[in-house]
Amino acid sequence: MLNELSRTGRIGFSLPEIPKSMRVNVEDLSKVIPDAMLRTSNLDLPQLSEPEVLRHYVRLSQMNFAIDVGMYPLGSCTMKYNPKVSQRIARNSKIANLHPYQDEETIQGALEILYELERMLCEITGMDEISLQPAAGAQGEYVGALMMKSYLHDKGMQEKDEMLVPDSAHGTNPASATMAGFKVVKIPSSEQGIVTAEALKGLVSRKTAGMMLTVPNTLGIFEREIVEITKTVHELGGLMYYDGANMNALLGKVRPGDMDFDIVHINVHKTFATPHGGGGPGAGPVGVSSALAEYLPIPRIVRKGEMFSLDYDRPKSIGAIKSFYGNTAVLVRAYCYILSLGRDGLKTASEQAVLSSNYLLSLLDDESYSSTTIGVPSKHEFVVSASPLKRRTGVSAGDVAKAILDSGKHSPTTYFPLIVSEALMVEPTETEPRENLETYAETLNEIAKRAQESKTELLSAPHNTAIGRLDEYRASHPNTMILNWKELKAR
Ligand SMILES: *Cc1c(COP(=O)(O)O)cnc(C)c1O
């Protein structure tokens, strides 16, 4: 802690002199600020030399894990490398210094970028119109569900109040549908981990408003019965929603629009390599077929000749769902990613992601980590169950995940999807070289081997990280969490 390192008089900074014209008279200030708000003593700031401050922050940064540090195969989250060229362009002052209240005439370039990005995403997804506004996948889903509701209402189909959601879905799906006022009907997955048209029988009816389908699903496999499922739901007047958070598996291969979906969202912070994690901004653009276009959130970016403008005059729109036009700086990065890879590059990225995932799976010791989708090729990620390992040794998926940290790599997603016991969900992404995939598999296999001889050590892993194994209850319970620095002697 900087406060603990502080020694009086150890000053480590020098500030340039403030020009006369910019100096503020303290006397004048005290006339404006109420007495009760004025500081009566000096601020107690730590006093340190420059190297001490520098070392403190570098040390903190080293306690963090990031994709720029090592392999980060957190399944479903798609922690793919964020190309520095996209970062650099988004940081260009002409983009970074834009203000949302600027006049339209002065932001023509930004609007053009966003407009073009919309067109590109329409091309990639096969949808007719897209809104870039939602700030995340979950918000995209919510927007989709709201549009579905308005559309059905306008068609006089208010009795449609049920949303079909597979049991393998991301938790955001049932949450978004519920928030939009639908009743969620759970569809069980088949033995092979997919949704079959057969499974809809008895659950689909005139009350079905629509269905949310994740493709590839959370087991990392393609839903093979999409055509039959879509037909069944459409015949009853329902709409099909495509959760395309992980379109990164399918770029240039198939398009939701061609598969007759009515609404789709994509996560640019997964599929198009924009940064995420740590609560930073993302974007979950939502695309629709022309029948639903008038319900998209306002404002819409429209082009008239050479000019771009923001259109708020859309009576059927579900309204504004995000301030201004969405997370523009993030969208610029997605635009750069798409342009820098191009049509063929995007397709190759998906192919590489799928190849990496299948290769890594093929290297795993299947007597410890059993595949959940035997006989079906994986897409960009796969899920194994550590149940065989746990049965044999008592070492669980959670213990394996902790032990991986000791090798300087990030662990996979654990205990998701909920339909797999002792789940480890691995998504290597297209940016890892082959050697890293091999080393990762070796690490997992070696942990399985060590589970016999050095079980106690594994059960208390990690040992090489800045912080050891946390008590998961105390680490997340408000009564026991320590969120502020407290002076040691005061504790
Ligand atoms: C990540 C993800 C979401 C949610 O996206 P957020 O941007 O985290 O809100 C929804 N569905 C699937 C399949 C996902 O992988």
Side-chain angles (χ1 to χ4, degrees), residues 76 136-138 141 170 172-173 214 218 243 245-246 265 267 269-270:
S76 187
E141 293 165 24
H170 207 275
T172 50
N173 284 193
T214 303
T218 58
D243 181 333
N246 301 300
H265 90 260
N267 282 17
H269 45 288
K270 293 179 183 170

